[in-house]
Amino acid sequence: MNAPTTLEHEEPVFPEEEGDPPRQLDFYGLSIPPLGRELRRQLAAHFHNLGLAPAWYLPRPLNDLPYRHFQHTTRAGEMPCLLADAGPRHFCNPGFEARWRGLYSGLPQIPLGAAFNAAGLDDPAGRLRPYGTACWVILADLEMLGDRPLPKGWSDLFNPCYAGDIIANGEKDCLAPLLLANLARDYGADALTRLARQIRAVQGGGEMARAAGGRSPHRAALYVLPRFWAENNIHKDNTRIIWPEEGAYCTPLILLGQQTLTPGAAAAFDFLTGPAWAAQLEGIYCVPADPALVTRPLPGPLRWIGWDLARSPDLEALVAQAGNCFRQGYRP
């Protein structure tokens, strides 16, 4: 069975999720959780409308084992023609790059807007193509903030006046990995211990969006969360979004492809870089890379870890060190 079972506009059922053996894929990818299921549906409809039945797979959001079907193979024939991810940690891994540099040699250039170029999101090696980005911002609960000043940027999170009154994005007892990486790059891993002492709780974005500005006894003055959830806060009269002056930390949505794309891979590339999906990105407050497809001007700059760190063997160690430092100071 080569193509997933689907009816137009319905979420497909993939052979990989039915216990079937791995296939050689035209396209394999991940996206951020708010986009995952919609991408599965819309891409299935796109292939249907083109009369294509490619081999493709988009694992469900929050997959614990991304790329497990081919992560350790050394056979080029087992690798998908086109890959997509949210964030650079898998494709920039030095081992992955060294193994597949000759296979994944470049996709067509995707135009980048001024904020993308200013943040250095254009891959100098020309292999990875950002087609959009998600980002983190700060959300203030004005009642809880009281007479304290609104923060201007990330550095203000260390201000003692906010001690114990910040809730930040992550799971269990630690911040999200790319959030850790960005903060550690800017302030040093050791600073995460100090920041953790400022933080009351680590939560998912949806939980924060429901609480901020409401009547929950567990709410805080400041929230560090994905922009999607900040914009979907249900108590907008009582909250304010702060776009950090240093730049909103971003998670680039990236593509990596073989030099010659199969028809299915080319169709996936065209869809992800085209106007329909750009509108979907903007609908959840992500930012399309191509300025010709942008209808909502950015409130401020973007900021991210940079390609040198993304490709460094030290990235995973930095994330681990920053996580350990954070846990040393975190007392929920």
Side-chain angles (χ1 to χ4, degrees):
M1 182 177 182
N2 227 19
T5 302
T6 182
L7 296 175
E8 189 175 8
H9 305 303
E10 290 187 359
E11 186 174 352
V13 176
F14 294 95
E16 287 82 357
E17 293 169 1
E18 298 294 296
D20 290 357
R23 302 168 292 158
Q24 183 174 352
L25 299 173
D26 297 285
F27 173 59
Y28 183 106
L30 294 178
S31 190
I32 59 174
L35 287 172
R37 295 188 67 182
E38 190 61 28
L39 182 55
R40 286 160 66 108
R41 286 192 290 265
Q42 289 200 28
L43 197 52
H46 180 66
F47 290 141
H48 175 87
N49 293 337
L50 292 175
L52 294 174
W56 65 290
Y57 181 35
L58 285 168
R60 294 185 183 278
L62 304 178
N63 188 317
D64 290 333
L65 297 169
Y67 311 112
R68 67 187 183 279
H69 300 96
F70 52 84
Q71 189 172 23
H72 302 296
T73 185
T74 57
R75 294 187 288 272
E78 296 181 2
M79 296 301 293
C81 189
L82 180 70
L83 292 160
D85 200 3
R89 294 176 68 198
H90 293 105
F91 298 158
C92 282
N93 176 283
F96 183 95
E97 283 219 319
R99 191 185 315 158
W100 302 119
R101 185 174 292 116
L103 181 65
Y104 293 104
S105 55
L107 289 166
Q109 183 71 47
I110 299 170
L112 297 182
F116 281 72
N117 284 313
L121 282 161
D122 188 14
D123 178 12
R127 286 190 293 275
L128 292 163
R129 301 296 192 201
Y131 68 93
T133 189
C135 47
W136 283 283
V137 295
I138 301 169
L139 180 67
D141 182 318
L142 299 178
E143 180 180 339
M144 293 293 293
L145 192 66
D147 60 1
R148 288 172 291 181
L150 282 167
K152 295 181 179 179
W154 301 116
S155 62
D156 290 331
L157 297 178
F158 294 90
N159 190 323
C161 76
Y162 306 123
D165 220 357
I166 301 172
I167 296 177
N169 185 223
E171 292 183 346
K172 298 179 181 178
D173 60 350
C174 201
L175 302 182
L178 272 179
L179 188 54
L180 279 175
N182 277 284
L183 289 164
R185 191 278 307 264
D186 282 348
Y187 304 106
D190 292 346
L192 271 296
T193 302
R194 185 158 49 96
L195 179 62
R197 297 190 182 110
Q198 300 276 94
I199 290 178
R200 176 187 301 176
V202 173
Q203 294 179 357
E207 188 175 0
M208 290 187 272
R210 291 188 294 271
R215 301 265 59 89
S216 169
H218 306 296
R219 72 191 200 273
L222 301 178
Y223 298 81
V224 177
L225 73 174
R227 187 188 181 195
F228 167 77
W229 291 113
E231 297 282 0
N232 281 280
N233 169 255
I234 60 177
H235 306 290
K236 293 184 183 297
D237 291 344
N238 303 324
T239 58
R240 185 175 302 175
I241 295 173
I242 293 102
W243 193 278
E245 60 184 4
E246 306 95 334
Y249 287 146
C250 61
T251 301
L253 308 175
I254 55 177
L255 294 168
L256 178 67
Q258 298 182 23
Q259 189 165 17
T260 301
L261 297 182
T262 63
F269 177 85
D270 290 343
F271 178 78
L272 289 168
T273 59
W277 194 244
Q280 189 73 37
L281 291 177
E282 287 201 318
I284 67 158
Y285 296 95
C286 290
V287 188
D290 186 345
L293 304 177
V294 172
T295 64
R296 292 176 174 169
L298 274 177
L302 299 171
R303 188 168 181 82
W304 85 299
I305 60 173
W307 291 107
D308 286 345
L309 180 56
R311 285 195 160 95
S312 170
D314 299 330
L315 175 59
E316 296 304 319
L318 178 66
V319 171
Q321 182 188 2
N324 290 334
C325 290
F326 183 86
R327 293 184 188 94
Q328 289 174 20
Y330 181 50
R331 298 292 181 269

